[in-house]
Amino acid sequence: MPEDIKKETIDNETAENKAEEIEIEGADEESTQTAEETKDAKDTDVNETESDDDALADAEAKADEKKGLFKKKKKDKKDEQIEELNDRLKRQMAEFENFRKRSEKEKSQMFDMGAKTIVEKILPVIDNFERGLAAVPDDKKDDPFITGMDKVYKQMLTELDAAGVKPIECVGQEFDPDFHNAVMQVENDELESGTVAQELQKGYMYKDSVVRHSMVSVVQ
């Protein structure tokens, strides 16, 4: 074989081998690039997953921290003692206030009972004044002694009225057993049945309670 042809053949084989090497290197580079891209993608996914996990962890931490703000701190022994003492103080103050109100009520009731007892003892004196003044003849009503007794009688009524003692109105009123004491029945064409016709003894009240019932006669 001539040397020119041989040399050309060798050059062609060398060129083909170089082309194959270039193709192989290109394939290797492409494979390497694909592998790197795949790795980068995986790293990106991992980073994104880690970011998501970190965000979730941060959110949970914030939620726990926020929830912790609303949780009551555990009371120490000193705070518990202070709270217990405050509670005892409030209870004692409430009990004292109830005791004070009850004492005032009892004292008021005792005062009213004592006042009623005094009024009951004075009423017969008032009755005697009324009987004595009613028995005075008309020609002696201007006598200074009678006039003085009448003034004393009226003064006593004024003082009793100021203390809350008032006479019970009964004549012409419907009979009420809470205020009237019927001792007899009478006939009266001018009044309806069950009406008080006459007052035989005046009754009195002290504030809202009856000291003495009115003694009356009632129409049949």
Side-chain angles (χ1 to χ4, degrees):
M1 180 181 294
E3 280 200 22
D4 292 334
I5 296 171
K6 187 177 181 180
K7 185 177 181 180
E8 184 179 354
T9 302
I10 292 171
D11 292 337
N12 289 334
E13 289 178 356
T14 302
E16 288 177 358
N17 292 332
K18 287 184 178 180
E20 289 178 358
E21 289 177 359
I22 291 171
E23 288 179 358
I24 291 171
E25 289 177 358
D28 292 338
E29 289 178 357
E30 184 177 357
S31 177
T32 303
Q33 184 177 1
T34 303
E36 289 178 352
E37 290 178 353
T38 303
K39 182 179 180 181
D40 292 339
K42 289 182 178 180
D43 292 339
T44 303
D45 293 338
V46 170
N47 292 332
E48 289 179 355
T49 303
E50 290 178 353
S51 299
D52 292 340
D53 292 339
D54 293 339
L56 181 60
D58 292 339
E60 291 178 352
K62 290 181 179 179
D64 293 337
E65 182 179 358
K66 186 176 181 181
K67 190 182 296 183
L69 293 176
F70 295 98
K71 289 183 178 179
K72 294 182 178 178
K73 293 182 179 179
K74 187 176 180 180
K75 297 179 182 178
D76 56 14
K77 194 171 183 180
K78 183 178 180 181
D79 292 336
E80 290 179 356
Q81 290 179 350
I82 293 174
E83 185 175 353
E84 182 180 356
L85 291 174
N86 286 333
D87 184 64
R88 289 176 59 185
L89 178 61
K90 290 179 181 179
R91 290 177 181 273
Q92 289 180 356
M93 290 179 66
E95 290 177 359
F96 177 77
E97 184 66 19
N98 292 333
F99 170 75
R100 185 182 64 81
K101 291 180 179 179
R102 185 169 60 251
S103 298
E104 289 180 354
K105 185 177 180 180
E106 292 176 354
K107 184 168 65 176
S108 177
Q109 291 176 348
M110 292 177 64
F111 178 82
D112 290 341
M113 290 177 60
K116 286 177 66 175
T117 302
I118 299 300
V119 171
E120 288 175 354
K121 293 181 178 181
I122 292 176
L123 290 181
V125 179
I126 300 296
D127 295 339
N128 290 332
F129 267 101
E130 291 176 348
R131 294 190 189 99
L133 293 172
V136 175
D138 293 337
D139 58 345
K140 292 185 178 179
K141 286 185 178 181
D142 294 333
D143 187 275
F145 178 77
I146 302 300
T147 303
M149 291 297 101
D150 184 62
K151 289 181 179 180
V152 173
Y153 165 71
K154 290 180 179 179
Q155 184 179 5
M156 292 182 67
L157 291 180
T158 301
E159 295 300 327
L160 289 174
D161 183 76
V165 180
K166 300 181 182 299
I168 298 175
E169 300 293 335
C170 60
V171 177
Q173 303 289 327
E174 184 179 358
F175 175 76
D176 188 346
D178 293 333
F179 302 101
H180 309 143
N181 180 21
V183 295
M184 59 184 298
Q185 291 183 338
V186 296
E187 295 181 359
N188 191 321
D189 297 335
E190 297 179 357
L191 298 175
E192 296 181 358
S193 177
T195 303
V196 176
Q198 185 181 5
E199 182 182 59
L200 304 177
Q201 187 182 48
K202 189 176 293 185
Y204 289 89
M205 293 187 63
Y206 173 68
K207 295 182 179 179
D208 295 330
S209 60
V210 177
V211 178
R212 187 176 72 183
H213 291 73
S214 299
M215 189 179 297
V216 299
S217 61
V218 183
V219 178
Q220 290 181 351

